[in-house]
Amino acid sequence: MSLSGRLVAILGAVLLGTNAWAQSTVLEEITVTAQKREQLVNDVGIAITTFSGDQMDALGFETSTDLIAYTPGVSLAGDIGGQRAIFNIRGVVQNDYADLAEAPVAVYVDGGYLASTQAQTFGLYDIERIEILKGPQGTLFGRNATGGLVNTITAKPTEEVEGYAELTVARFEQYRLEAAIGGGLSDSVQGRFSFMTNQQGEIYNNVYTGVDFQGTAGTPGGGQDTYNDDTLALRGQLNFDIGDRGSLLLIANWADTTKSEGPYQVTATTEVRRANGETIDVILSSDDPLNCDIIQAGACIDGNNDGSPTRPVVGGDFWGNTDPDGRGRRVNKDFAFDDQNRIKSRGISAELNYDFGDVTFTSISDFKNFTRVIGLDSDQTARAALIFQSDGDTDQFSQEFRISGSADRLTWVAGLYYLKIDINFTQGLAESAAGVDDFGLLGVEANTITELNTDSYSVFGQVDYALTDTLTLVGGLRATQENKDFDGIVSFFPNNNDRRIETDGVLFSIDQLTADNDETLWSGKAQLEYSPDDDSLYYFGINRGVKAGSFNAPLFGGFAPYDEEVLWSYEVGGKMTLADGRAQLNASVYYYDYNDYQSFSFRNNSSAVTNEDATYKGFEVELFANPSEGLDVQLGVSYTDAKVNGLQIASDIFVDTTPPFTPEWQVSGLARYNWEAFGGNLAAQVNGSWKSEFFFSASNFAAHEFDSAFITDARLSWADSENVWNVVAFVDNFTDERNSVIGFDVSAFYGTSQESYTKPRTYGVLVRRNF
């Protein structure tokens, strides 16, 4: 039987069950583990936005990054046209696309850290809840939680048989199926199995004819339609009761995703250079009436050595190629394949909990492997120019031992943590033998081959001491010894296959570095929490967050270490239950003092992380309300004023800039109304999010700024009186906004920038059966 046939058979079996699915509201009381113990979210003195599994179903979240639009102070960074995404919390971000880099916002799934940024974009299925913690979380979670933490907890096995199946059919030939079934296997063993598959056809229509504007042929077999998805993910769990005091939970997961070449499109951009040749700005070509390759001292200069200082076509690249329809769904590029990029993940974990009475012991052992093979058209046009490729393989193992307890006025937790990460990463640029020797690499590829091995050891503890019945002092400390070993080399190889990166048959090498970086790091927390009654909590905290240093491994060499970053955070916040429990208001104000912020800059196929000082300040407000029977309202607003001090953009030019992917303002809102109809419950929902303009590059040049964006979605759902069947009709991005979300500047290479846009209007139907 085919895979699709097996999935349909599983769906049919699940649909035979019976049980109920409870409708959720925005005021759902959620238990979180943000401090390594179970607490109601309103009792935790941390700025947290939390979504339960039912809430995510109601909102229509499908991937980990769908949460961003409805979380004040959180935005999106990433690469590959959104195929890989990175969380940016309050402007704390490092959008280095190399697999060697770890993000300053830590992502955990079921207690296991995701070391590679390539793993942070994952499908959401069978989820219990997701907690987004803002501000440094280094004391308890430690690993690179400078900016915050995204903590995902999957649904766990239960003694009673339960499960669901959910099928979505949507525009662009999308068919998404997820299902789960679990229950008791014996008196002391419970199990759960869940899976998700998503098949989506190509969104972009490639009009490539086989040659570019000048008649040059491109990559053989290229020119395919792009922007698709083919994902299958599986998760199995077994929980063993150890008497009535303990449990052992085993989890295994596997996922395989195949996608097209990254869904970028092209925008013409022009460099502006000083008389000495240094680039100080990049402008949109629409602002360049001269249609220059490059502008220097107010005059056009020849940028691609073709004998002409102007471009063959106004608004085109150096060779006359243009985007077919601006931000529409047509593209024209030679290196485009519908199965080019592939991402795999697999993992296994074991969590042991045992209650000794006064002390609870927890052990979490976790192993993960991630592989990623990527290729994309560097110029994003029909020109057979440079092809970017990367190949990453990450193995990681972590072990945490933790003890916790409470007595009288004291609640405490302490532990040991070990993390080992082994990364092999290769990235490079290749020039197809089918093209023209524009860059001196005809039939050759230049690849940066690196290996980074990390061993990290830490000891941590946190104490909550009730000074009075209403005032609590919180103190925590974490000490870490981190050892990194790096080996990198830049070598040139024959380009035997445009779609495969080469590591055999080296022609020559130009750069090599073998080095280590051993650091002793610490993070800490001191906080006062005041709770005058059961309906309110106020807190003031000082946190020190730290992210370890590492190594630059850019294209064409230039290996160099960079230092750890240190963030001192000062935050005041409050959580208030209002209107006799019909509203919840959360607010926080913060100030960040950054030392050696790890700023990532990318321009013209070259990248580097440098250490800069920075200061951030801002606030966030969230309101969840049930103003009348059947009506739920959620509102969020955030303001972020983030400045990186004295970033070098030329040899003698230093400017204050805004971190990339950091809008100053973000606003989101949701209204959902439920009423009895058609023998069940009918719910209408509309939600939207707006963000102000932001830069996609740290240098903040004119062409690096993206406009503000407003995205709106709508859903109409019906559940029967037993809440067994649920049917949803939805329209995402119903105004069909095509806003820029990710970009890379390659203006000196091609006279363009790569940009990717929000997904077009999507509509569909979802059917869910619970039992």
Side-chain angles (χ1 to χ4, degrees), residues 213-214 266-272 282-286 288 290-295 300-304 306 308-322 746-753:
F213 179 79
Q214 297 183 344
V266 64
T267 299
T269 50
T270 303
E271 280 197 338
V272 180
V282 182
I283 65 174
L284 297 174
S285 62
S286 59
D288 171 22
L290 302 177
N291 193 40
C292 300
D293 285 355
I294 293 170
I295 301 174
C300 292
I301 64 172
D302 188 1
N304 63 332
D306 67 349
S308 173
T310 58
R311 309 181 190 207
V313 175
V314 175
D317 67 4
F318 288 160
W319 298 276
N321 301 295
T322 59
V746 286
S747 53
F749 270 65
Y750 317 116
T752 60
S753 290

Side-chain angles (χ1 to χ4, degrees), residues 106-278:
V107 177
Y108 282 76
V109 177
D110 289 330
Y113 170 66
L114 302 183
S116 175
T117 56
Q118 65 179 284
Q120 292 191 1
T121 308
F122 52 89
L124 295 179
Y125 68 102
D126 201 24
I127 299 296
E128 179 180 322
R129 69 181 183 277
I130 293 183
E131 309 164 6
I132 301 179
L133 285 62
K134 304 168 191 176
Q137 306 298 323
T139 302
L140 292 180
F141 288 91
R143 185 68 192 176
N144 294 337
T146 320
L149 177 81
V150 179
N151 192 26
T152 300
I153 295 89
T154 64
K156 296 300 183 290
T158 57
E159 293 183 357
E160 298 296 324
V161 175
E162 65 170 18
Y164 70 92
E166 182 178 288
L167 175 65
T168 301
V169 180
R171 189 186 184 193
F172 306 119
E173 299 180 328
Q174 182 186 13
Y175 300 92
R176 187 180 192 275
L177 174 64
E178 68 171 271
I181 185 170
L185 304 179
S186 72
D187 291 341
S188 60
V189 181
Q190 305 88 43
R192 190 174 185 93
F193 173 77
S194 51
F195 77 91
M196 181 272 292
T197 178
N198 185 58
Q199 309 290 321
Q200 178 198 286
E202 289 73 30
I203 294 176
Y204 287 166
N205 176 29
N206 197 343
V207 298
Y208 178 66
T209 63
V211 295
D212 73 347
F213 179 79
Q214 297 183 344
T216 301
T219 301
Q224 297 180 13
D225 295 340
T226 64
Y227 203 170
N228 61 2
D229 182 59
D230 181 357
T231 295
L232 177 62
L234 311 172
R235 184 188 307 122
Q237 304 181 67
L238 286 174
N239 185 72
F240 301 87
D241 295 330
I242 305 175
D244 58 0
R245 288 194 168 191
S247 64
L248 173 63
L249 175 65
L250 304 179
I251 304 177
N253 60 80
W254 176 91
D256 189 338
T257 295
T258 300
K259 294 178 179 283
S260 66
E261 183 266 346
Y264 287 108
Q265 294 175 262
V266 64
T267 299
T269 50
T270 303
E271 280 197 338
V272 180
R273 292 184 179 178
R274 307 172 71 197
N276 65 0
E278 289 180 323

